[in-house]
Structures are given as C-alpha cells and as structure tokens.
Amino acid sequence: MKKIIILILTLSVFNCQNNQNTKTETPKLEMKAEPVALLNIDQANALANLPLQCINTQYPNRLSQTLGSQADLKSPKQLHPAFYGCFDWHSSVHGHWSLVSLLKSFPEISNASAIKQKLLNNISKENIAAEVVYFQGKHNTSFERTYGWAWLLKLAEALHTWDNETARQLEANLQPLTNLIVQKYIEFLPKLNYPLRVGTHTNTAFGLSFAYDYAVTVNNEALKNAIKSRALYFFTADKNCPMSWEPSGSDFLSPCLEEAALMKRLLPVNDYKIWLNDFLPELKNRNYNLEVGVVSDRRDGQLVHLDGVNFSRAWSLNKIAEGLPEYSHLKNIANKHINYSLPSIFGDSYEGGHWLGSFAIYALNSNQE
C-alpha cells in the first residue's frame, strides 16, 4: 500500500513539473491599428458646406423658447438675427465656429472671401446687440445653459486666436455677448449644487471644459477660478465611472470621458494620473477596447446623436492621452470612432447635417494637437 501511495505522489509531482515546464502565456490581443484621421483641404471644403447650407436657413427650427406673452411670438430670425439657422441656436453658433476654425486652418479654402462676408453679415454689431437683449429677457435667464454658452465661448476663443483682420472685427462685434455669457457662468456656477452627468446638452463637464479653454486663452482669472473651484468640488472624489453603461440611446457626449477630459485641464499631471486611475482604471490597459456608438437610422434626429458621441469620445480620449505616453493607445480608439462616423456625415440628412460637421471638425482638430 505504501508503495502505491509513493508511486501516485511521484507521478503527481512529475505531472505538476511537466505542466509548469510546458505552460505558455496567453497571447495578448493587439487592437487593429486604425488609420489616423487628419483634416485636409478636401475634407475642409466638404465640411464647410455643412454649416454654409444651414446658417441662413430659418426653418425647420427648434426655438426652446419660454413665452412670456403673445409679443414673444416671433420668427427665429427676428428673435436671433445672428444665430437663427441650423435648426437651433447652439447649432447655429457652432456652425459659425466651424467656419472660423476651417478658415484659420485652411486660408486657401474655397470661397474664403464669401465665407468671411457671411460671418460679417451674421455677426454684426446690430445682430449681437439683439442677441444680448434676448438673453436679458425675464424668461430667458437659463436659455442655452450651459451647452450653447460653451459653444459661444468656443467661437469667441477661435476668433481671438485667429490672426486675421476679419477676426478682429468679428471678435469686437461678438464681445458684448461674450461678456454676458462669461458673467452668466460666474453667477450661475456657485448656485449649482450638483453636476449634471448626462450624455446630452446639459452635461456639466462639457460646459465647463469649453468655457475653461476660453478663460485660459484670454486669461480671464475670474472665470478660470469659478470653473476650477466648482469642478474640483464636483468631481475630485469620483471613482469607478461606469463606462459599461454608456452610451444611452441618444447620447452625443460621454459623461465619463467628458469629466476625465475636464479634469485633465485642471489637475497637475501627477495628481491627474492618480485621479484617472481611480476614476477610469480600465483606460490604462493597453488592450482596452471601446466599441463605437452604432447608428441605426441617420434620419432620426435622436438616434443620429450617436455619431456625435463617437466624435466627442474621440476628442476626449485624445485630451486624456495628451502628454501621457502610458495612455497613448487611447488615440487608436479615438481614430476608430472618427473613422466610423466621418464618412456618414457628408450628404447626411438635415437631422445630422445641421450639427455633426462641428463635432467632426473638433474631433479632427484634436488629432492634430
């Protein structure tokens, strides 16, 4: 009996050693290398056509208006003489931003002189004065808060950084509305007790990111401090953001990635690395994968939002990876998202065409920074 036991133990040890000697590591799955999506002159000309087709198109239009009386029943152009096109106010604003951004990057773009004249016609002193009056109306204090506010400051930032005579005139014309939006941010943020963690217009992190970019560009300390103090209050303790819950069916922003991109702007590098590792630990895995938002019907104004989520994910991933080699693999995921949605926006229906060009341009710009 003892001999049998010894023999069994001997065979067990042999088998264990043999398994250890022949053990092979599971091969690591390498993500497919995506073509780097870069903005070129041909794309610039095609993308410029999207806002050009809508910034002076009054209908269809969604006013998002609170009526105080019958006197408020006016056409979009009467209410918003600068930004009445492209279906809604914020899309009109970022349509104008798109044209400014493209003119800055590609001075040789087709019809550059005509585009500049369109901008001057819309963003005139008189038109901006009327826009200011609208915002000052009793029932309009929260109009476009904070999504449209953010895009207005992104437009102001683009004008400020564009070294061109036309830009100086446009920036001066826009300045009264820019100043009003800055003041509205400074007054509103201390009242906001909780952030909005959604994938649509009212997302707090997105609204703060674009506004912070403007504040840094023009060195507006009051605005910078208002944004930074509130953002750190909202987001510093956040951990384990549930990326697996995203996207929702009509998202065009990623709540988790927008927050991570905002905090990248605000925290010192080493502090940010610690925060990000707690907030989205999976991002550091070089084999991390994030599937694109799949669009089933681009004629549905809500479902086509998912093309937007692909572009906004891309710019957020690029911001996160900026200057951090250990996160450089996120750039490939960003390219995958851009490459999925970019071909579909040319010749797209008005449901996507009136706004997706701006998202594509901002995503493509983030690849070149």
Side-chain angles (χ1 to χ4, degrees), residues 97 208 263 290:
W97 169 84
L208 297 186
M263 294 298 275
L290 181 62

Side-chain angles (χ1 to χ4, degrees), residues 294-326:
V294 177
V295 181
S296 61
D297 182 358
R298 288 190 166 86
R299 291 189 174 277
D300 186 302
Q302 294 295 309
L303 297 179
V304 77
H305 276 184
L306 292 166
D307 275 329
V309 89
N310 291 329
F311 291 130
S312 65
R313 278 179 172 181
W315 74 54
S316 294
L317 289 165
N318 281 329
K319 186 65 180 180
I320 293 165
E322 185 180 275
L324 298 178
E326 61 268 45

Side-chain angles (χ1 to χ4, degrees), residues 80-335:
H80 301 292
F83 305 119
Y84 61 86
C86 297
F87 188 71
D88 48 36
W89 193 86
H90 52 259
S91 298
S92 181
V93 170
H94 65 64
H96 287 77
W97 169 84
S98 294
L99 295 173
V100 171
S101 179
L102 293 171
L103 285 166
K104 279 179 60 182
S105 299
F106 300 95
E108 74 278 21
I109 197 169
S110 298
N111 303 312
S113 296
I115 293 172
K116 289 177 182 177
Q117 190 58 54
K118 275 183 177 285
L119 291 170
L120 289 166
N121 291 343
N122 288 7
I123 307 176
S124 66
K125 286 185 178 180
E126 297 76 15
N127 288 348
I128 294 303
E131 296 281 357
V132 169
V133 169
Y134 184 88
F135 270 92
Q136 292 173 335
K138 176 182 177 182
H139 301 286
N140 303 327
T141 55
S142 62
F143 180 68
E144 289 287 350
R145 188 176 72 194
T146 55
Y147 185 73
W149 297 5
W151 275 113
L152 191 285
L153 293 188
K154 184 58 68 177
L155 171 59
E157 177 194 358
L159 290 172
H160 186 77
T161 54
W162 182 19
D163 185 14
N164 186 275
E165 184 179 341
T166 300
R168 299 289 67 76
Q169 186 175 347
L170 290 168
E171 183 180 23
N173 292 349
L174 187 65
Q175 199 64 52
L177 184 55
T178 303
N179 293 342
L180 178 64
I181 296 301
V182 167
Q183 191 57 37
K184 289 178 82 68
Y185 264 107
I186 292 171
E187 292 173 358
F188 169 65
L189 287 178
K191 303 175 187 177
L192 184 64
N193 290 331
Y194 312 99
L196 285 78
R197 306 173 188 273
V198 297
T200 51
H201 304 85
T202 55
N203 180 279
T204 297
F206 172 84
L208 297 186
S209 288
F210 276 20
Y212 191 77
D213 291 343
Y214 170 80
V216 170
T217 298
V218 302
N219 197 27
N220 187 315
E221 290 295 331
L223 182 58
K224 277 198 291 187
N225 292 336
I227 292 168
K228 187 171 184 177
S229 62
R230 215 66 193 135
L232 296 180
Y233 172 78
F234 289 148
F235 303 128
T236 298
D238 285 359
K239 299 180 187 297
N240 297 313
C241 197
M243 279 296 298
S244 62
W245 293 6
E246 297 184 19
S248 294
S250 60
D251 279 359
F252 57 85
L253 299 171
S254 163
C256 291
L257 295 179
E258 287 294 336
E259 181 176 336
L262 171 63
M263 294 298 275
K264 176 68 179 294
R265 291 164 162 87
L266 302 178
L267 292 174
V269 173
N270 290 333
D271 291 348
Y272 180 69
K273 289 180 180 181
I274 295 169
W275 180 89
L276 184 60
N277 195 52
D278 289 337
F279 184 64
L280 287 170
E282 63 269 38
L283 293 192
K284 202 167 187 179
N285 182 348
R286 297 195 67 83
N287 295 314
Y288 175 68
N289 187 32
L290 181 62
E291 292 301 322
V292 300
V294 177
V295 181
S296 61
D297 182 358
R298 288 190 166 86
R299 291 189 174 277
D300 186 302
Q302 294 295 309
L303 297 179
V304 77
H305 276 184
L306 292 166
D307 275 329
V309 89
N310 291 329
F311 291 130
S312 65
R313 278 179 172 181
W315 74 54
S316 294
L317 289 165
N318 281 329
K319 186 65 180 180
I320 293 165
E322 185 180 275
L324 298 178
E326 61 268 45
Y327 289 96
S328 62
H329 55 282
L330 298 182
K331 296 178 181 179
N332 192 56
I333 302 175
N335 282 314

